[in-house]
Amino acid sequence: MLRRSSLHRIPWLVLVFALVLSGTAGAAEVLRVLSWPGYADPDVVQAFEARTGARVEVTLVDSDETLWHKLTAHDASDYDVFAVNTAELQRYIDRGLVVPIDAAALTNLAAQLPRFRDPATLPGTTRDGKLYAVPYAWAEMGLIYNRRQFDAPPQSIAALWDARYRGKVLIYNSGSHNFSLAAQVLGKDSPFRLDTDDWAPAVARLVELRRNLLTFYAHPEESAHLFVSRGAALMFANYGTQQLQLLRAAGADVGYVIPREGALAWLDCWALTRGAGNRRLALAWIDHLLGTGPAHVLSARHGLANTRDPAPHQGETDRLVWLEPVEDVERRNLLWERILSGDRAARVLAP
Amino acid sequence: MRFGLAARLGLVLALSGMLSAGITAFQAQRASETLLVDSARAELLTATRVLARRITLVREDLSRTLLALARHPAALAALDDDAQAATQLATLFALPMEANRAYFQIRLIAADDHGLERVRIDRDGDALLRVDGDALQEKGHYPYVFDALALPPGEVYMSRVGINRERGSHAALGRPAVQLATPVADATGRPRGVIVGSIDLNGVFALLATDLPADFRLYLANSAGDYLIHPDPARTFGFDKGRRVRVQDEFPAMQALIEGRTGESLIDSATGEHAATPLVAAFIAARAQLRTEEGAFILGLARPRATVLAELDPLRGIMQQIVIGMSLTGMLLAAILARAITRPIEVLGAAVQNFSGTGEAPALPVERQDEIGALARRFAELRAQIGQQMAELERRRSELEHLARHDALTGLPNRALFDDRMAVALAAARRDDGRLALLFVDLDDFKPINDRLGHVVGDRVLEGVAARIRQCIRESDTAARVGGDEFVVLLPGIASTADAARVADKIRAAIDRPFVIDGHALAVSVSMGLAHYPQDGTDATTLARHADRAMYRDKAEGKAQRRS
């Protein structure tokens, strides 16, 4: 049996070997891409290879930490181009791992929505007047509400604190985001900068929020299940429209709003590494992904917003608050854990 | 027999014995392995079911404790801010926690005040700790509170299994835990609070697993397949660290069980990470019969295939002994058989070798009733036949030899034999310094008898003369007929010449008596001549010449006398 099957395998091995050989022999240019799942699907890559004749090596990452490790490993020389969110991008610029991008080389930039064309409105994509990142995919964190329990859509994040919905509110289990929500409610200019005097009121607001909760969630599926099975009224949608789709698929009568304080939003961009061997090819890759085909793949296949088409659940005037690095991640997380565990405000702020 | 028939036959027989024993042992072992693995899986399945049943019993036991606490009047009183009742309840909480290390915490949580804890005992290292005052926390947003409050009194809620992240929970912090909760209702049935027991998942399973054999590996996964318990602790609660480590990824065959297409799964895993150390495993899907967000749990037990097959070791030893025993028996049998066949062949060979020899002819195995017996009988016949022919040949040969050395008419030695004896006697006399005498005897006037009475009568006369000469001499003397009517007598070892003369006289006297033949009385006379060794000569020729001369003298004298 063993001998038989291994004999049968030989032609396959030869074939695979031949394919590998022909593959390596033919390509003159290689582009090394570090990407997130869904950003460089095989068909998108093949279209680029067919157009340029280059070969693309895609490496996928699934966390900010992995991305950081891979790029810092050999001084960013292992990859040419990578995808990163604006908040994370800052430390790459600090370390000089990325290089400015020549916007003139990207013809598809002109087709982007106005809000992505003006770097001034996109904190973190530029520094010292130089463009370091090209917006590619994004998602905002709006509010999902139960139409049967709301006469009119909620207008403000403050609805999460509304005693009418006590025990019917769901929030995401995240220290950073929840302190940002508290800062928004407190009317801070930047939800990512809490001053010394801001911590006590922020904690007080979050303890109040906890007391208004049904519970908290970590995964989109979990949130949809809780929302439907426990008859929730309002939810902070960390996963945005993805959760909306899940709930509608489950038959929930739900709406989605961007609160007037602005919805927290993450923005993933493409950036060039310092070690990029062929910058012209890397720029061609970025320009390719800004085209209609890849943009459509991103929204239709993966449910993520692209930078060309208007998002379906928001108006032009809706405010987006692009995520930025927060003043103290550890402190936010520690205090949030105490709040979540049920400590009362005085104890949360204890050293 | 160094590499003869017996050795070769023995080798073939021993090899075939070893071969058949080896094949039997190999087949038996393969069949045993299959049987063992099958029975090990069935055994694992049974053990898994028993384990699931025991888990249920443990859970029911824990639940009963919580139900009893929820029914205790002190619970309701403590919810009504009765400090004394709270203290009493704290004592009651400590009792089961002291008895059973599976409890991380037991708490009374109010339905109001945002789920504020009213009475709380934590395990803290080896000690139990009553958490009080400001340290009490609000837990209303945890499912084990709001879902348990929704239950009718007397029912128990079980939370999802996860890593406990509730800060300030002492021993439970960061540990795999599950919450069991039951409502505390007032007289109207209105839920006023919940009794919550926080259960140490690893503690419970470590206790249950102590009864399992050392090589058993325990697996527990939730309904999605995420590991909760795994021999490698690093693989548990992957979802808590943002990655999935699932049973169906390690055991692809588990997909059917995860999807609910089957309730149990028997696995013989020898690929992927188990290629080096194959596992035999049994998994079942067990659903907890109470209110919970957890679906069916996947419970499994596995054993390394090697330790399952280790049970074959004694059998393998016995097999080896059997193979060796059968081989030795084969060799012994082969030796005996070979001996039984080659021994008669050797006897036949020896018989052939001794065929014409003088040695004792070995007994042939003629009494055997087999091929060798038949061969021996043929051979015995052949031997008898050849023996007869040989005896006949010998008789003829000695006859011929006698004829060649004797006179056919008288039976006396002829000249050739006489010359031999003369030479022997001379040699003896020379060596012993002895004496001998040679006597010539010649018939006188024999020719006329032949002519007158015929050859037949003449021959009878010659026979008679020979007989009378023989009667006159000693056994050691030799008389021979050397010519038509000439005789010669050798007298070895005589004492003196006179003795020889006396013999000569005796012979003359004997012959002088008439011969009666066919009614004729015939008188025959002889002339004789004597020669003595060593006086008359020391060699045969000289002695013969001397005797001859003496005889002619005698003949001449005799004629003269007869004429006178």
Side-chain angles (χ1 to χ4, degrees), chain A residues 62 166 207 210-216 219 225-226 229-230 334 337-344 346-347, chain B residues 114 116-117 133-143 146-147 157 165-168 239 242-243 291 293:
Chain A
D62 59 2
R166 169 164 294 184
V207 169
R210 183 194 72 206
R211 289 174 173 168
N212 214 39
L213 288 184
L214 166 66
T215 189
F216 50 90
H219 304 290
H225 171 71
L226 285 166
S229 66
R230 303 302 195 281
L334 172 71
E337 278 183 24
R338 288 178 177 171
I339 293 165
L340 192 66
S341 299
D343 278 334
R344 283 162 282 186
R347 220 175 147 79
Chain B
H114 315 293
L116 183 65
E117 294 166 332
D134 207 27
L136 294 172
Q137 296 169 315
E138 296 173 1
K139 301 291 187 184
H141 54 291
Y142 282 99
F146 61 79
D147 275 345
Y157 165 89
R165 296 283 175 215
E166 295 182 42
R167 296 191 75 87
F239 57 85
R243 62 197 172 89
R291 171 67 201 274
E293 287 294 316

Side-chain angles (χ1 to χ4, degrees), chain B residues 367-554:
Chain B
E367 69 287 350
R368 290 175 68 127
Q369 293 302 311
D370 53 12
E371 291 84 350
I372 289 171
L375 181 61
R377 284 191 291 277
R378 297 265 162 73
F379 186 74
E381 280 168 29
L382 191 64
R383 187 167 68 172
Q385 214 172 347
I386 291 172
Q388 270 175 5
Q389 286 174 356
M390 290 294 283
E392 176 73 8
L393 215 58
E394 179 62 26
R395 195 179 55 75
R396 295 254 176 94
R397 191 191 60 78
S398 60
E399 256 178 33
L400 278 173
E401 195 178 84
H402 192 264
L403 278 175
R405 313 271 285 178
H406 291 81
D407 172 36
L409 179 63
T410 61
L412 291 177
N414 61 12
R415 177 177 291 277
L417 180 55
F418 183 84
D419 287 348
D420 280 356
R421 291 192 181 171
M422 181 71 190
V424 169
L426 271 175
R430 275 186 216 112
R431 188 180 63 231
D432 301 339
D433 197 21
R435 298 162 177 271
L436 66 78
L438 183 66
L439 175 63
F440 273 32
V441 179
D442 191 73
L443 299 188
D444 298 330
D445 304 321
F446 178 67
K447 199 169 176 304
I449 294 172
N450 249 357
D451 295 344
R452 198 161 34 95
L453 299 173
H455 284 289
V456 175
V457 175
D459 287 352
R460 294 283 295 279
V461 171
L462 287 173
E463 283 173 9
V465 169
R468 289 182 188 181
I469 291 173
R470 206 180 280 138
Q471 284 165 4
C472 297
I473 60 177
R474 300 166 303 178
E475 193 78 8
S476 57
D477 299 339
T478 299
R481 182 181 175 219
V482 294
D485 53 356
E486 293 171 9
F487 296 88
V488 62
V489 180
L490 172 64
L491 302 166
I494 53 168
S496 63
T497 53
D499 287 348
R502 265 195 299 279
V503 174
D505 291 344
K506 203 170 154 188
I507 290 171
R508 189 187 304 275
I511 294 172
D512 277 352
R513 282 183 283 119
F515 292 85
V516 179
I517 296 162
D518 292 346
H520 302 285
L522 297 172
V524 178
S525 67
V526 291
S527 302
M528 291 194 285
L530 259 174
H532 292 279
Y533 172 90
Q535 300 91 319
D536 302 329
T538 55
D539 62 282
T541 312
T542 313
L543 285 170
R545 197 182 304 133
H546 187 89
D548 198 39
R549 270 189 220 128
M551 186 194 69
Y552 277 103
R553 271 196 306 276
D554 183 40

Side-chain angles (χ1 to χ4, degrees), chain B residues 193-211:
Chain B
V194 287
I195 296 281
V196 181
S198 183
I199 309 301
D200 176 5
L201 184 77
N202 287 346
V204 168
F205 276 84
L207 208 63
L208 289 169
T210 49
D211 292 342

Side-chain angles (χ1 to χ4, degrees), chain A residues 140-145 237 240-241 244 248 254-258 313:
Chain A
E140 81 293 321
M141 307 169 198
L143 297 175
I144 290 174
Y145 64 98
T241 52
L244 186 66
R248 290 194 169 150
V254 288
Y256 183 77
V257 291
I258 305 295
H313 299 292

Side-chain angles (χ1 to χ4, degrees), chain A:
Chain A
M1 268 316 252
L2 191 69
R3 182 166 298 176
R4 236 176 95 107
S5 63
S6 57
L7 276 176
H8 280 223
R9 222 173 280 147
I10 285 172
W12 286 107
L13 284 175
V14 170
L15 190 65
V16 168
F17 195 57
L19 283 173
V20 168
L21 277 181
S22 67
T24 51
E29 291 184 304
V30 176
L31 182 68
R32 302 162 301 168
V33 176
L34 193 57
S35 169
W36 297 73
Y39 287 9
D41 282 1
D43 50 346
V44 172
V45 170
Q46 278 160 22
F48 179 73
E49 287 177 333
R51 184 191 292 175
T52 61
R55 191 165 61 83
V56 178
E57 287 177 0
V58 177
T59 306
L60 295 181
V61 293
D62 59 2
S63 79
D64 287 335
E65 283 315 300
T66 315
L67 185 70
W68 178 251
H69 280 303
K70 282 191 180 295
L71 275 169
T72 51
H74 297 107
D75 229 8
S77 63
D78 293 337
Y79 303 95
D80 299 316
V81 61
F82 68 107
V84 63
N85 72 53
T86 48
E88 279 287 310
L89 176 66
Q90 304 315 309
R91 56 172 167 167
Y92 291 85
I93 299 175
D94 294 344
R95 283 275 290 268
L97 295 168
V98 289
V99 293
I101 291 169
D102 176 14
L106 304 172
T107 54
N108 279 323
L109 277 182
Q112 286 191 310
L113 292 169
R115 79 167 24 132
F116 298 107
R117 283 207 299 266
D118 180 9
T121 65
L122 297 170
T125 58
T126 56
R127 188 177 290 185
D128 300 334
K130 290 177 192 143
L131 181 67
Y132 280 94
V134 179
Y136 172 59
W138 61 282
E140 81 293 321
M141 307 169 198
L143 297 175
I144 290 174
Y145 64 98
N146 189 334
R147 286 193 217 265
R148 299 196 177 153
Q149 297 186 42
F150 280 81
D151 299 328
Q155 299 295 311
S156 164
I157 292 173
L160 294 168
W161 277 262
D162 193 331
R164 282 179 293 172
Y165 308 113
R166 169 164 294 184
K168 292 185 174 183
V169 174
L170 288 167
I171 60 163
Y172 179 64
N173 184 6
S174 159
S176 283
H177 289 358
N178 291 334
F179 270 98
S180 295
L181 290 179
Q184 282 185 297
V185 164
L186 289 170
K188 295 288 296 174
D189 289 339
S190 165
F192 312 110
R193 301 270 176 280
L194 286 175
D195 297 326
T196 316
D197 297 339
D198 298 331
W199 289 99
V203 165
R205 296 315 305 264
L206 289 181
V207 169
E208 286 168 25
L209 176 60
R210 183 194 72 206
R211 289 174 173 168
N212 214 39
L213 288 184
L214 166 66
T215 189
F216 50 90
Y217 66 87
H219 304 290
E221 293 77 10
E222 184 188 7
S223 72
H225 171 71
L226 285 166
F227 196 98
V228 173
S229 66
R230 303 302 195 281
L234 187 63
M235 173 160 71
F236 169 71
N238 183 69
Y239 301 95
T241 52
Q242 190 186 353
Q243 284 164 289
L244 186 66
Q245 283 174 5
L246 281 170
L247 281 165
R248 290 194 169 150
D253 185 9
V254 288
Y256 183 77
V257 291
I258 305 295
R260 64 168 175 264
E261 294 89 350
L264 298 177
W266 54 260
L267 176 63
D268 273 359
C269 304
W270 286 101
L272 278 181
T273 68
R274 182 169 70 187
N278 189 334
R279 291 193 183 166
R280 184 193 50 76
L281 193 62
L283 287 171
W285 166 259
I286 295 173
D287 202 42
H288 170 70
L289 290 189
L290 296 179
T292 49
H296 184 71
V297 166
L298 198 59
S299 49
R301 189 181 295 166
H302 300 294
L304 294 166
N306 64 57
T307 56
R308 297 175 68 104
D309 308 316
H313 299 292
Q314 51 181 273
E316 278 294 307
T317 56
D318 283 342
R319 262 188 80 194
L320 296 180
V321 182
W322 300 111
L323 290 182
E324 292 175 38
V326 299
E327 74 297 308
D328 189 342
V329 178
E330 279 79 24
R331 183 146 200 231
R332 284 190 177 203
N333 285 338
L334 172 71
L335 298 186
W336 171 247
E337 278 183 24
R338 288 178 177 171
I339 293 165
L340 192 66
S341 299
D343 278 334
R344 283 162 282 186
R347 220 175 147 79
V348 171
L349 286 163

